[in-house]
Amino acid sequence: MKQSFASAAILFALATCGGLLAPATAADRPNVLILFPDDQRADTIAALGNPDIITPNLDQIADRGFHASSAYCLGANVGAVCRPSRNMLLSGRTYFRWTAPKNGKPQANAPATDTTLPAVFNAAGYETYHHGKRGNTAQNIHRQFDHSHYLDDFNDRWSMQAGRKVIDDALSFLDARQANAAKSDSPWLMYLAFAMPHDPRAASEEALAMYDPDTLRLFPASRRAHPFDNGAVLVRDEWTAVWPRTEQVLRDQIHDYYAAITTLDQNIGRLIDRLRRDGELDNTLVVFSSDHGLGMGSHGLMGKQNVYEAGYKAPMVMAGPGIPHGTNNDPVYLMDLFPTLCELTGIAVPDGLDGESFAAMVREGKSGPRDAVLLSYTDTQRAIRQGDWKLIYYPQSRRTQLFNLDRDPNEQQDLSNDRSQSDRINSLFTVMKTLQDEQGDPLQIPVERQPMIEDDFIAPEIRLAKSGRPSLSATPSGLHSTELSGQQTGDPFSVLRPEDGYFAAVSVGLSRTAPKVVTGIRFDIVKGPGRDADRWTEVVGNPQSRWTPLLDQMNPKRQPIGIYGTADGVLRRLGFIQTDTRIAPTFGGSDGGTPFEVRIPTETNTIASKQFAGFHGTVISGKQQTVIESLGLLYLPNGKN
């Protein structure tokens, strides 16, 4: 059996590698199915060694296919790492090419050229189909697909049915093809870009019940907080969980995360089963990957804004005609998938790509196309992986880390202070500079290492919001309140803006098992010029809510000036209006409640930022669930100063 499978793989390789037997027509080429979730770590497929997670359908792909175990997102120039990652995937070019061009204005998304993935596969006779998340994606390139559809990202994530809408519509696409004889003989390419398991992670009740959170193991290298400022310790994703990252906090997060992935797996299984019933699975190249990883507690981080393995390594498994079972640990980029798919389907790889095909690594067991990979995050982090060694450099603090991934795959033993490694460190910096030049990275790394700047990170202290009603004043200069949304029968609370301080972030929480009403609000507050010791977080409601940051990276001139949403007896949905006219989308239950909108009365938004003084409202604490009943804004008519 093994010999015949290997022979078949060799014959298919000869037929599709651009050699003598390349497919003459589109009908000879396999279908392509790209399954691309949002924020899924590389170590979240049971068949690849995670004994806690339940992914039977992804296991089938991994068990019959190939695993590229070191697939990386190259990097990002923004906190939404998914945006450049998805643009690089579909363009095959590094994000430096369009975000920092030598001439012209930088762009947020890669341009739609005739050398993108959908354009190339369209020209090769494929019917191309895309459906997925709308936010932080490659919207220019999406328009090149024959069919392109978007999710309502927030509603999809709290629907408790991860992947259902995307898979339902993919099945309808297959139905339409079968009904159209003119199209049924041509191959198709589907790019399904799911919105999950990105937060907020509202998994199905069935999937949640499949796990006992008390028995879930934490991810490797978990800790209560990151020990130093990596340039992203307080970005949006880090507000999805409270500090310290205790075992209970992390187990709750992992419970939601695993259950969301299991829900997604169940829906992917529906599509795989359909292809099998239709006799198309054996002629379909199936790829499962993700835009990057996610901290989920590793190194004390929750997000993907870090170049550790947890943050930037993504799953990469593929199965289908001509794909033998195997694993290779040579590093590749996610953007290398585009030219690889071209080669695996007998399509000429377009000129000018930064991506490099790893088809020979998949089919023939050869070494990967790259000796080393560069990893990047904004101007705050750079890393180089070459062989078993990985060097991380933090330009703002001049800190260096060195890890041997063979002996220390979870990056817990920093060897950068080992004098015997000085030559290796210098060599890796040289490789880093070479790859920066090749890939268009403009960040300058000093040739001479400079003394490190001490940058210990002190996590914000968590406090419960003050009980009681604020002392409102009838005088023009005193503290005033807007209307309160909802009823006011519960316990009152207030959160005040300190003198010489401001609100830096606001997160809204829902119930982990029934995301129908607002169960908590978290306010990150900064006082004075300090950022760590003078920063704290006040919590209203349930501290164990499923948190989603709606406001972050605020400053004294950018403050909340309004709230809106829906309420009946309690607050069901909540959103915010800011002084720079930005509107954060409402977050909460998808049904019920009367719409409301409340703003600080003022002539200009600039004045309102000075007037804003905090929040107050009421909360109901019951045996079954804690909910926010009402909310309003506090303000000083004459401003803070």
Side-chain angles (χ1 to χ4, degrees), residues 70-72 74 88 92-94 97 328-340 353-358 361 366-375 384-387 431 435 438-439:
S70 293
Y72 292 94
L74 182 150
M88 288 187 286
R93 304 181 75 219
T94 74
R97 305 300 184 195
N328 192 301
N329 191 43
D330 290 347
V332 297
Y333 286 128
L334 296 177
M335 69 176 176
D336 294 334
L337 181 61
F338 171 16
T340 301
L353 300 187
D354 295 307
E356 298 185 30
S357 171
F358 56 90
M361 185 178 89
K366 293 185 176 180
S367 298
R370 299 184 182 278
D371 173 64
V373 289
L374 170 74
L375 309 178
I384 188 81
R385 178 188 161 179
Q386 185 178 47
V431 176
L435 289 185
E438 290 179 0
Q439 298 179 6

mmCIF file of all heavy atoms in Angstrom, residues 70-72 74 88 92-94 97 328-340 353-358 361 366-375 384-387 431 435 438-439:
data_model
loop_
_atom_site.group_PDB
_atom_site.id
_atom_site.type_symbol
_atom_site.label_atom_id
_atom_site.label_comp_id
_atom_site.label_asym_id
_atom_site.label_seq_id
_atom_site.Cartn_x
_atom_site.Cartn_y
_atom_site.Cartn_z
ATOM 1 N N SER A 70 6.728 24.574 10.972
ATOM 2 C CA SER A 70 7.316 25.877 11.299
ATOM 3 C C SER A 70 6.883 26.906 10.267
ATOM 4 O O SER A 70 7.689 27.473 9.523
ATOM 5 C CB SER A 70 8.847 25.795 11.364
ATOM 6 O OG SER A 70 9.269 25.007 12.456
ATOM 7 N N ALA A 71 5.576 27.138 10.204
ATOM 8 C CA ALA A 71 5.008 28.135 9.299
ATOM 9 C C ALA A 71 4.760 29.423 10.085
ATOM 10 O O ALA A 71 4.079 29.399 11.106
ATOM 11 C CB ALA A 71 3.711 27.628 8.688
ATOM 12 N N TYR A 72 5.317 30.531 9.597
ATOM 13 C CA TYR A 72 5.281 31.788 10.341
ATOM 14 C C TYR A 72 4.580 32.896 9.563
ATOM 15 O O TYR A 72 4.703 32.997 8.330
ATOM 16 C CB TYR A 72 6.698 32.276 10.642
ATOM 17 C CG TYR A 72 7.481 31.426 11.607
ATOM 18 C CD1 TYR A 72 8.341 30.433 11.139
ATOM 19 C CD2 TYR A 72 7.393 31.616 12.982
ATOM 20 C CE1 TYR A 72 9.088 29.658 12.020
ATOM 21 C CE2 TYR A 72 8.133 30.850 13.868
ATOM 22 C CZ TYR A 72 8.975 29.868 13.382
ATOM 23 O OH TYR A 72 9.712 29.103 14.253
ATOM 24 N N LEU A 74 5.093 36.567 8.693
ATOM 25 C CA LEU A 74 6.309 37.393 8.636
ATOM 26 C C LEU A 74 6.229 38.565 9.602
ATOM 27 O O LEU A 74 7.220 38.908 10.252
ATOM 28 C CB LEU A 74 6.536 37.889 7.210
ATOM 29 C CG LEU A 74 7.781 38.728 6.941
ATOM 30 C CD1 LEU A 74 8.240 38.519 5.503
ATOM 31 C CD2 LEU A 74 7.562 40.221 7.183
ATOM 32 N N MET A 88 -0.436 39.485 2.784
ATOM 33 C CA MET A 88 0.758 38.783 2.304
ATOM 34 C C MET A 88 0.397 37.414 1.741
ATOM 35 O O MET A 88 0.953 36.973 0.730
ATOM 36 C CB MET A 88 1.783 38.661 3.432
ATOM 37 C CG MET A 88 2.466 39.963 3.790
ATOM 38 S SD MET A 88 3.819 39.796 4.992
ATOM 39 C CE MET A 88 2.915 39.512 6.507
ATOM 40 N N GLY A 92 1.453 37.294 -1.941
ATOM 41 C CA GLY A 92 2.760 36.666 -2.038
ATOM 42 C C GLY A 92 3.903 37.638 -1.865
ATOM 43 O O GLY A 92 5.056 37.324 -2.199
ATOM 44 N N ARG A 93 3.620 38.798 -1.301
ATOM 45 C CA ARG A 93 4.647 39.831 -1.144
ATOM 46 C C ARG A 93 4.674 40.316 0.305
ATOM 47 O O ARG A 93 3.646 40.320 0.983
ATOM 48 C CB ARG A 93 4.382 41.007 -2.090
ATOM 49 C CG ARG A 93 4.272 40.595 -3.544
ATOM 50 C CD ARG A 93 4.032 41.789 -4.439
ATOM 51 N NE ARG A 93 5.240 42.569 -4.603
ATOM 52 C CZ ARG A 93 5.284 43.904 -4.643
ATOM 53 N NH1 ARG A 93 4.162 44.604 -4.474
ATOM 54 N NH2 ARG A 93 6.410 44.538 -4.812
ATOM 55 N N THR A 94 5.847 40.759 0.777
ATOM 56 C CA THR A 94 5.965 41.236 2.146
ATOM 57 C C THR A 94 5.186 42.535 2.323
ATOM 58 O O THR A 94 5.031 43.317 1.377
ATOM 59 C CB THR A 94 7.428 41.479 2.537
ATOM 60 O OG1 THR A 94 7.904 42.680 1.905
ATOM 61 C CG2 THR A 94 8.315 40.318 2.141
ATOM 62 N N ARG A 97 6.341 46.056 1.150
ATOM 63 C CA ARG A 97 6.246 46.492 -0.249
ATOM 64 C C ARG A 97 5.165 47.539 -0.457
ATOM 65 O O ARG A 97 5.262 48.366 -1.368
ATOM 66 C CB ARG A 97 5.972 45.299 -1.173
ATOM 67 C CG ARG A 97 6.960 44.159 -1.072
ATOM 68 C CD ARG A 97 8.368 44.565 -1.405
ATOM 69 N NE ARG A 97 9.250 43.390 -1.389
ATOM 70 C CZ ARG A 97 10.564 43.470 -1.357
ATOM 71 N NH1 ARG A 97 11.162 44.653 -1.357
ATOM 72 N NH2 ARG A 97 11.294 42.370 -1.332
ATOM 73 N N ASN A 328 7.728 18.386 8.186
ATOM 74 C CA ASN A 328 9.020 19.041 7.986
ATOM 75 C C ASN A 328 9.060 20.280 8.867
ATOM 76 O O ASN A 328 8.103 21.061 8.890
ATOM 77 C CB ASN A 328 9.222 19.420 6.518
ATOM 78 C CG ASN A 328 10.653 19.838 6.225
ATOM 79 O OD1 ASN A 328 11.171 20.778 6.821
ATOM 80 N ND2 ASN A 328 11.291 19.140 5.289
ATOM 81 N N ASN A 329 10.184 20.477 9.574
ATOM 82 C CA ASN A 329 10.323 21.580 10.523
ATOM 83 C C ASN A 329 11.069 22.774 9.937
ATOM 84 O O ASN A 329 11.337 23.744 10.640
ATOM 85 C CB ASN A 329 11.052 21.084 11.780
ATOM 86 C CG ASN A 329 11.003 22.087 12.914
ATOM 87 O OD1 ASN A 329 9.958 22.693 13.168
ATOM 88 N ND2 ASN A 329 12.128 22.307 13.590
ATOM 89 N N ASP A 330 11.427 22.726 8.651
ATOM 90 C CA ASP A 330 12.119 23.867 8.058
ATOM 91 C C ASP A 330 11.182 25.078 8.045
ATOM 92 O O ASP A 330 9.991 24.946 7.741
ATOM 93 C CB ASP A 330 12.569 23.545 6.634
ATOM 94 C CG ASP A 330 13.703 22.534 6.596
ATOM 95 O OD1 ASP A 330 14.298 22.282 7.663
ATOM 96 O OD2 ASP A 330 13.992 21.998 5.513
ATOM 97 N N PRO A 331 11.692 26.279 8.335
ATOM 98 C CA PRO A 331 10.805 27.449 8.416
ATOM 99 C C PRO A 331 10.315 27.906 7.054
ATOM 100 O O PRO A 331 11.077 27.939 6.076
ATOM 101 C CB PRO A 331 11.689 28.508 9.081
ATOM 102 C CG PRO A 331 13.087 28.123 8.709
ATOM 103 C CD PRO A 331 13.090 26.628 8.670
ATOM 104 N N VAL A 332 9.045 28.239 6.990
ATOM 105 C CA VAL A 332 8.439 28.835 5.805
ATOM 106 C C VAL A 332 7.544 29.985 6.269
ATOM 107 O O VAL A 332 7.187 30.080 7.442
ATOM 108 C CB VAL A 332 7.608 27.815 4.995
ATOM 109 C CG1 VAL A 332 8.494 26.694 4.469
ATOM 110 C CG2 VAL A 332 6.462 27.249 5.826
ATOM 111 N N TYR A 333 7.190 30.840 5.328
ATOM 112 C CA TYR A 333 6.238 31.916 5.596
ATOM 113 C C TYR A 333 4.846 31.497 5.123
ATOM 114 O O TYR A 333 4.694 30.683 4.205
ATOM 115 C CB TYR A 333 6.624 33.187 4.845
ATOM 116 C CG TYR A 333 7.805 33.949 5.390
ATOM 117 C CD1 TYR A 333 8.867 34.301 4.543
ATOM 118 C CD2 TYR A 333 7.860 34.340 6.715
ATOM 119 C CE1 TYR A 333 9.947 35.029 5.019
ATOM 120 C CE2 TYR A 333 8.942 35.062 7.200
ATOM 121 C CZ TYR A 333 9.982 35.401 6.350
ATOM 122 O OH TYR A 333 11.051 36.115 6.830
ATOM 123 N N LEU A 334 3.822 32.112 5.710
ATOM 124 C CA LEU A 334 2.471 31.916 5.205
ATOM 125 C C LEU A 334 2.354 32.390 3.762
ATOM 126 O O LEU A 334 1.629 31.793 2.958
ATOM 127 C CB LEU A 334 1.463 32.655 6.085
ATOM 128 C CG LEU A 334 1.344 32.181 7.540
ATOM 129 C CD1 LEU A 334 0.352 33.052 8.305
ATOM 130 C CD2 LEU A 334 0.945 30.720 7.616
ATOM 131 N N MET A 335 3.064 33.453 3.392
ATOM 132 C CA MET A 335 2.990 33.958 2.020
ATOM 133 C C MET A 335 3.627 32.995 1.031
ATOM 134 O O MET A 335 3.432 33.123 -0.187
ATOM 135 C CB MET A 335 3.646 35.336 1.909
ATOM 136 C CG MET A 335 5.139 35.347 2.077
ATOM 137 S SD MET A 335 5.817 36.997 1.823
ATOM 138 C CE MET A 335 7.555 36.697 2.197
ATOM 139 N N ASP A 336 4.390 31.991 1.523
ATOM 140 C CA ASP A 336 4.950 30.970 0.638
ATOM 141 C C ASP A 336 3.877 30.009 0.136
ATOM 142 O O ASP A 336 4.109 29.243 -0.810
ATOM 143 C CB ASP A 336 6.038 30.176 1.366
ATOM 144 C CG ASP A 336 7.265 31.015 1.707
ATOM 145 O OD1 ASP A 336 7.510 32.017 1.007
ATOM 146 O OD2 ASP A 336 7.971 30.666 2.677
ATOM 147 N N LEU A 337 2.701 30.013 0.762
ATOM 148 C CA LEU A 337 1.635 29.100 0.354
ATOM 149 C C LEU A 337 1.156 29.395 -1.062
ATOM 150 O O LEU A 337 0.856 28.463 -1.826
ATOM 151 C CB LEU A 337 0.467 29.189 1.342
ATOM 152 C CG LEU A 337 -0.722 28.265 1.058
ATOM 153 C CD1 LEU A 337 -0.302 26.800 1.105
ATOM 154 C CD2 LEU A 337 -1.849 28.531 2.044
ATOM 155 N N PHE A 338 1.078 30.662 -1.437
ATOM 156 C CA PHE A 338 0.590 31.048 -2.764
ATOM 157 C C PHE A 338 1.432 30.392 -3.874
ATOM 158 O O PHE A 338 0.890 29.641 -4.705
ATOM 159 C CB PHE A 338 0.550 32.574 -2.840
ATOM 160 C CG PHE A 338 0.279 33.177 -4.195
ATOM 161 C CD1 PHE A 338 -0.245 32.430 -5.242
ATOM 162 C CD2 PHE A 338 0.532 34.521 -4.413
ATOM 163 C CE1 PHE A 338 -0.488 33.006 -6.488
ATOM 164 C CE2 PHE A 338 0.293 35.104 -5.642
ATOM 165 C CZ PHE A 338 -0.210 34.337 -6.690
ATOM 166 N N PRO A 339 2.742 30.622 -3.939
ATOM 167 C CA PRO A 339 3.514 29.955 -4.996
ATOM 168 C C PRO A 339 3.523 28.436 -4.852
ATOM 169 O O PRO A 339 3.627 27.718 -5.860
ATOM 170 C CB PRO A 339 4.916 30.550 -4.853
ATOM 171 C CG PRO A 339 4.979 31.093 -3.467
ATOM 172 C CD PRO A 339 3.588 31.537 -3.144
ATOM 173 N N THR A 340 3.410 27.933 -3.622
ATOM 174 C CA THR A 340 3.354 26.480 -3.432
ATOM 175 C C THR A 340 2.107 25.899 -4.076
ATOM 176 O O THR A 340 2.163 24.865 -4.758
ATOM 177 C CB THR A 340 3.384 26.154 -1.926
ATOM 178 O OG1 THR A 340 4.579 26.670 -1.351
ATOM 179 C CG2 THR A 340 3.327 24.651 -1.694
ATOM 180 N N LEU A 353 7.247 37.751 -6.884
ATOM 181 C CA LEU A 353 6.759 37.400 -5.550
ATOM 182 C C LEU A 353 7.915 37.322 -4.564
ATOM 183 O O LEU A 353 9.030 36.934 -4.906
ATOM 184 C CB LEU A 353 6.025 36.061 -5.574
ATOM 185 C CG LEU A 353 4.799 35.920 -6.464
ATOM 186 C CD1 LEU A 353 4.124 34.575 -6.202
ATOM 187 C CD2 LEU A 353 3.823 37.061 -6.265
ATOM 188 N N ASP A 354 7.637 37.667 -3.307
ATOM 189 C CA ASP A 354 8.577 37.413 -2.217
ATOM 190 C C ASP A 354 8.398 35.998 -1.675
ATOM 191 O O ASP A 354 9.328 35.416 -1.117
ATOM 192 C CB ASP A 354 8.378 38.423 -1.085
ATOM 193 C CG ASP A 354 8.717 39.840 -1.510
ATOM 194 O OD1 ASP A 354 9.824 40.045 -2.030
ATOM 195 O OD2 ASP A 354 7.871 40.734 -1.319
ATOM 196 N N GLY A 355 7.198 35.456 -1.815
ATOM 197 C CA GLY A 355 6.947 34.089 -1.391
ATOM 198 C C GLY A 355 7.726 33.096 -2.234
ATOM 199 O O GLY A 355 7.940 33.304 -3.434
ATOM 200 N N GLU A 356 8.133 32.003 -1.617
ATOM 201 C CA GLU A 356 8.888 30.960 -2.298
ATOM 202 C C GLU A 356 8.187 29.623 -2.100
ATOM 203 O O GLU A 356 7.781 29.273 -0.990
ATOM 204 C CB GLU A 356 10.316 30.885 -1.757
ATOM 205 C CG GLU A 356 11.124 32.157 -1.974
ATOM 206 C CD GLU A 356 12.569 32.003 -1.537
ATOM 207 O OE1 GLU A 356 13.090 30.870 -1.608
ATOM 208 O OE2 GLU A 356 13.176 33.006 -1.120
ATOM 209 N N SER A 357 8.050 28.871 -3.174
ATOM 210 C CA SER A 357 7.331 27.600 -3.113
ATOM 211 C C SER A 357 8.080 26.580 -2.257
ATOM 212 O O SER A 357 9.292 26.418 -2.373
ATOM 213 C CB SER A 357 7.158 27.037 -4.524
ATOM 214 O OG SER A 357 6.648 25.707 -4.465
ATOM 215 N N PHE A 358 7.309 25.888 -1.395
ATOM 216 C CA PHE A 358 7.876 24.767 -0.651
ATOM 217 C C PHE A 358 7.258 23.446 -1.113
ATOM 218 O O PHE A 358 7.186 22.464 -0.374
ATOM 219 C CB PHE A 358 7.727 24.957 0.862
ATOM 220 C CG PHE A 358 6.329 25.176 1.380
ATOM 221 C CD1 PHE A 358 5.529 24.098 1.757
ATOM 222 C CD2 PHE A 358 5.822 26.461 1.528
ATOM 223 C CE1 PHE A 358 4.258 24.283 2.269
ATOM 224 C CE2 PHE A 358 4.542 26.665 2.030
ATOM 225 C CZ PHE A 358 3.757 25.569 2.408
ATOM 226 N N MET A 361 9.439 20.445 -0.737
ATOM 227 C CA MET A 361 9.480 20.015 0.660
ATOM 228 C C MET A 361 8.282 19.127 0.970
ATOM 229 O O MET A 361 8.395 18.131 1.694
ATOM 230 C CB MET A 361 9.497 21.252 1.569
ATOM 231 C CG MET A 361 9.650 20.964 3.055
ATOM 232 S SD MET A 361 9.728 22.497 4.035
ATOM 233 C CE MET A 361 7.989 22.773 4.381
ATOM 234 N N LYS A 366 12.287 17.215 0.432
ATOM 235 C CA LYS A 366 13.496 18.018 0.345
ATOM 236 C C LYS A 366 13.486 19.121 1.404
ATOM 237 O O LYS A 366 12.478 19.363 2.071
ATOM 238 C CB LYS A 366 13.615 18.636 -1.048
ATOM 239 C CG LYS A 366 13.861 17.621 -2.152
ATOM 240 C CD LYS A 366 14.079 18.305 -3.488
ATOM 241 C CE LYS A 366 14.409 17.298 -4.574
ATOM 242 N NZ LYS A 366 14.637 17.942 -5.888
ATOM 243 N N SER A 367 14.630 19.798 1.542
ATOM 244 C CA SER A 367 14.717 20.916 2.477
ATOM 245 C C SER A 367 13.828 22.050 2.004
ATOM 246 O O SER A 367 13.521 22.181 0.803
ATOM 247 C CB SER A 367 16.164 21.392 2.597
ATOM 248 O OG SER A 367 16.989 20.368 3.108
ATOM 249 N N GLY A 368 13.409 22.887 2.948
ATOM 250 C CA GLY A 368 12.597 24.035 2.594
ATOM 251 C C GLY A 368 13.385 25.060 1.808
ATOM 252 O O GLY A 368 14.621 25.014 1.732
ATOM 253 N N PRO A 369 12.694 26.035 1.206
ATOM 254 C CA PRO A 369 13.363 27.011 0.338
ATOM 255 C C PRO A 369 14.122 28.097 1.085
ATOM 256 O O PRO A 369 14.868 28.857 0.468
ATOM 257 C CB PRO A 369 12.198 27.613 -0.442
ATOM 258 C CG PRO A 369 11.034 27.524 0.516
ATOM 259 C CD PRO A 369 11.234 26.236 1.255
ATOM 260 N N ARG A 370 13.964 28.170 2.415
ATOM 261 C CA ARG A 370 14.558 29.276 3.166
ATOM 262 C C ARG A 370 15.552 28.768 4.210
ATOM 263 O O ARG A 370 15.254 27.841 4.960
ATOM 264 C CB ARG A 370 13.469 30.099 3.863
ATOM 265 C CG ARG A 370 12.473 30.723 2.905
ATOM 266 C CD ARG A 370 11.458 31.599 3.614
ATOM 267 N NE ARG A 370 10.480 32.153 2.684
ATOM 268 C CZ ARG A 370 10.677 33.227 1.941
ATOM 269 N NH1 ARG A 370 11.831 33.877 2.045
ATOM 270 N NH2 ARG A 370 9.748 33.664 1.114
ATOM 271 N N ASP A 371 16.695 29.439 4.250
ATOM 272 C CA ASP A 371 17.674 29.134 5.287
ATOM 273 C C ASP A 371 17.279 29.768 6.614
ATOM 274 O O ASP A 371 17.585 29.237 7.681
ATOM 275 C CB ASP A 371 19.056 29.652 4.857
ATOM 276 C CG ASP A 371 20.090 29.520 5.955
ATOM 277 O OD1 ASP A 371 20.387 28.377 6.335
ATOM 278 O OD2 ASP A 371 20.582 30.568 6.439
ATOM 279 N N ALA A 372 16.597 30.905 6.543
ATOM 280 C CA ALA A 372 16.215 31.646 7.746
ATOM 281 C C ALA A 372 14.973 32.466 7.438
ATOM 282 O O ALA A 372 14.666 32.755 6.270
ATOM 283 C CB ALA A 372 17.348 32.551 8.212
ATOM 284 N N VAL A 373 14.244 32.852 8.501
ATOM 285 C CA VAL A 373 13.085 33.722 8.340
ATOM 286 C C VAL A 373 13.216 34.905 9.299
ATOM 287 O O VAL A 373 13.659 34.760 10.436
ATOM 288 C CB VAL A 373 11.750 32.989 8.590
ATOM 289 C CG1 VAL A 373 11.446 32.009 7.470
ATOM 290 C CG2 VAL A 373 11.748 32.279 9.934
ATOM 291 N N LEU A 374 12.804 36.070 8.802
ATOM 292 C CA LEU A 374 12.746 37.299 9.586
ATOM 293 C C LEU A 374 11.328 37.477 10.103
ATOM 294 O O LEU A 374 10.360 37.295 9.356
ATOM 295 C CB LEU A 374 13.134 38.497 8.713
ATOM 296 C CG LEU A 374 12.911 39.893 9.305
ATOM 297 C CD1 LEU A 374 13.966 40.184 10.366
ATOM 298 C CD2 LEU A 374 12.953 40.954 8.202
ATOM 299 N N LEU A 375 11.177 37.823 11.370
ATOM 300 C CA LEU A 375 9.876 38.117 11.963
ATOM 301 C C LEU A 375 9.880 39.550 12.452
ATOM 302 O O LEU A 375 10.902 40.041 12.953
ATOM 303 C CB LEU A 375 9.577 37.159 13.116
ATOM 304 C CG LEU A 375 9.728 35.663 12.829
ATOM 305 C CD1 LEU A 375 9.444 34.850 14.084
ATOM 306 C CD2 LEU A 375 8.834 35.226 11.683
ATOM 307 N N ILE A 384 14.925 36.694 14.227
ATOM 308 C CA ILE A 384 15.460 35.882 13.151
ATOM 309 C C ILE A 384 15.495 34.444 13.623
ATOM 310 O O ILE A 384 15.926 34.158 14.749
ATOM 311 C CB ILE A 384 16.872 36.370 12.731
ATOM 312 C CG1 ILE A 384 17.353 35.642 11.468
ATOM 313 C CG2 ILE A 384 17.873 36.217 13.854
ATOM 314 C CD1 ILE A 384 16.780 36.218 10.226
ATOM 315 N N ARG A 385 14.975 33.543 12.816
ATOM 316 C CA ARG A 385 15.118 32.121 13.106
ATOM 317 C C ARG A 385 15.959 31.489 12.000
ATOM 318 O O ARG A 385 15.634 31.582 10.808
ATOM 319 C CB ARG A 385 13.780 31.406 13.176
ATOM 320 C CG ARG A 385 14.053 29.915 13.443
ATOM 321 C CD ARG A 385 12.881 29.010 13.356
ATOM 322 N NE ARG A 385 13.360 27.632 13.189
ATOM 323 C CZ ARG A 385 12.571 26.579 13.101
ATOM 324 N NH1 ARG A 385 11.267 26.729 13.197
ATOM 325 N NH2 ARG A 385 13.088 25.384 12.920
ATOM 326 N N GLN A 386 17.032 30.833 12.404
ATOM 327 C CA GLN A 386 17.907 30.110 11.483
ATOM 328 C C GLN A 386 18.268 28.767 12.124
ATOM 329 O O GLN A 386 18.895 28.730 13.189
ATOM 330 C CB GLN A 386 19.176 30.911 11.184
ATOM 331 C CG GLN A 386 20.065 30.268 10.132
ATOM 332 C CD GLN A 386 21.295 31.111 9.834
ATOM 333 O OE1 GLN A 386 21.971 31.573 10.759
ATOM 334 N NE2 GLN A 386 21.574 31.325 8.556
ATOM 335 N N GLY A 387 17.848 27.687 11.497
ATOM 336 C CA GLY A 387 18.087 26.371 12.090
ATOM 337 C C GLY A 387 17.374 26.259 13.427
ATOM 338 O O GLY A 387 16.191 26.582 13.561
ATOM 339 N N VAL A 431 22.547 38.054 9.633
ATOM 340 C CA VAL A 431 21.504 37.435 8.819
ATOM 341 C C VAL A 431 20.233 38.283 8.861
ATOM 342 O O VAL A 431 19.551 38.457 7.843
ATOM 343 C CB VAL A 431 21.228 36.002 9.306
ATOM 344 C CG1 VAL A 431 20.078 35.383 8.514
ATOM 345 C CG2 VAL A 431 22.467 35.144 9.180
ATOM 346 N N LEU A 435 18.252 39.819 5.551
ATOM 347 C CA LEU A 435 16.847 39.583 5.228
ATOM 348 C C LEU A 435 16.032 40.874 5.240
ATOM 349 O O LEU A 435 15.087 41.028 4.458
ATOM 350 C CB LEU A 435 16.249 38.572 6.201
ATOM 351 C CG LEU A 435 16.721 37.124 6.043
ATOM 352 C CD1 LEU A 435 15.955 36.205 6.998
ATOM 353 C CD2 LEU A 435 16.553 36.640 4.621
ATOM 354 N N GLU A 438 16.594 42.320 1.879
ATOM 355 C CA GLU A 438 15.933 41.547 0.830
ATOM 356 C C GLU A 438 14.426 41.771 0.819
ATOM 357 O O GLU A 438 13.807 41.782 -0.254
ATOM 358 C CB GLU A 438 16.223 40.054 1.022
ATOM 359 C CG GLU A 438 17.662 39.643 0.741
ATOM 360 C CD GLU A 438 17.881 38.166 0.980
ATOM 361 O OE1 GLU A 438 16.901 37.467 1.376
ATOM 362 O OE2 GLU A 438 19.016 37.689 0.796
ATOM 363 N N GLN A 439 13.837 41.967 1.981
ATOM 364 C CA GLN A 439 12.385 42.026 2.077
ATOM 365 C C GLN A 439 11.839 43.445 2.164
ATOM 366 O O GLN A 439 10.632 43.630 2.260
ATOM 367 C CB GLN A 439 11.928 41.197 3.281
ATOM 368 C CG GLN A 439 12.288 39.715 3.138
ATOM 369 C CD GLN A 439 11.868 38.886 4.332
ATOM 370 O OE1 GLN A 439 11.207 39.379 5.246
ATOM 371 N NE2 GLN A 439 12.255 37.620 4.348
#
